[in-house]
Amino acid sequence: MNHRIASALFVVGVGGIAGCVRDQPAPVAVETSCTAPRFVPPFTAVDPCSAEAVLVAALVAMFSYTPATESDQQVAFTAAAPLLTPDYAARGRSAAPVILPITVATWQQWQSAAVSVDAEVRLTGDDHPVDTGTEVHRVMALKLRPSDASAPLTFTAYVTAGRTDRATAWRLSGIEVLG
């Protein structure tokens, strides 16, 4: 299992829960009638019936980088595709380098220094539109930690998850990142 996916599973499985306790409003009732199939590897541990788990895992996958072996952010975006709606995966891939404001100079510096970047994601307590059975909006804190011990980069991500019905998995369908 690669480092990016292990990080996603940690954040969803342990870190995401810890980050949610302090910052989230009262928990929403657990959905018991969801019949969505599990995600494909390496995302089999992500609960397809939990919009929040899917959003956290998708952001960790999209924003964890290994520039020494990745030409640009599109590689990480493509790796997250199983957690994205097909429409967003298709139209968002070409925009991946501009979704998060990492400059070409910074990317090239990370490449030449073999710096890896781990994304940490946590749900915030910020207001968001009311959830429906097919759409969920969340505000998330996104922190990128370069392996060279340089200062972390922090962003706020406004994300949306969608699904067609209870038999389909939640998937990230939109994101706006502010720095």
Side-chain angles (χ1 to χ4, degrees):
M1 179 179 310
N2 74 31
H3 182 66
R4 175 181 298 123
I5 305 310
S7 295
L9 296 178
F10 172 77
V11 170
V12 171
V14 179
I17 294 169
C20 295
V21 174
R22 184 179 67 247
D23 298 315
Q24 287 299 302
V28 178
V30 174
E31 181 179 350
T32 57
S33 60
C34 176
T35 58
R38 303 301 295 182
F39 288 108
V40 298
F43 300 109
T44 54
V46 178
D47 181 358
C49 298
S50 169
E52 291 176 351
V54 170
L55 290 170
V56 168
L59 266 63
V60 168
M62 287 172 63
F63 298 115
S64 293
Y65 306 124
T66 310
T69 60
E70 298 170 351
S71 57
D72 61 26
Q73 295 96 321
Q74 288 180 341
V75 175
F77 188 91
T78 300
L83 302 174
L84 312 178
T85 62
D87 178 56
Y88 187 70
R91 65 185 161 82
R93 186 177 187 279
S94 62
V98 295
I99 291 173
L100 188 67
I102 302 296
T103 65
V104 171
T106 298
W107 189 268
Q108 289 172 343
Q109 181 182 23
W110 287 344
Q111 275 183 323
S112 63
V115 172
S116 61
V117 180
D118 289 327
E120 294 178 10
V121 178
R122 72 172 175 79
L123 298 164
T124 71
D126 292 354
D127 288 337
H128 54 77
V130 175
D131 295 345
T132 70
T134 58
E135 190 171 76
V136 169
H137 299 266
R138 292 293 180 269
V139 181
M140 304 179 116
L142 176 60
K143 184 180 287 188
L144 304 185
R145 293 190 179 275
S147 63
D148 66 356
S150 59
L153 306 170
T154 57
F155 303 91
T156 300
Y158 296 87
V159 294
T160 305
R163 68 177 181 180
T164 54
D165 56 43
R166 293 178 190 264
T168 58
W170 287 103
R171 287 182 166 46
L172 185 137
S173 58
I175 183 171
E176 180 180 357
V177 178
L178 302 176

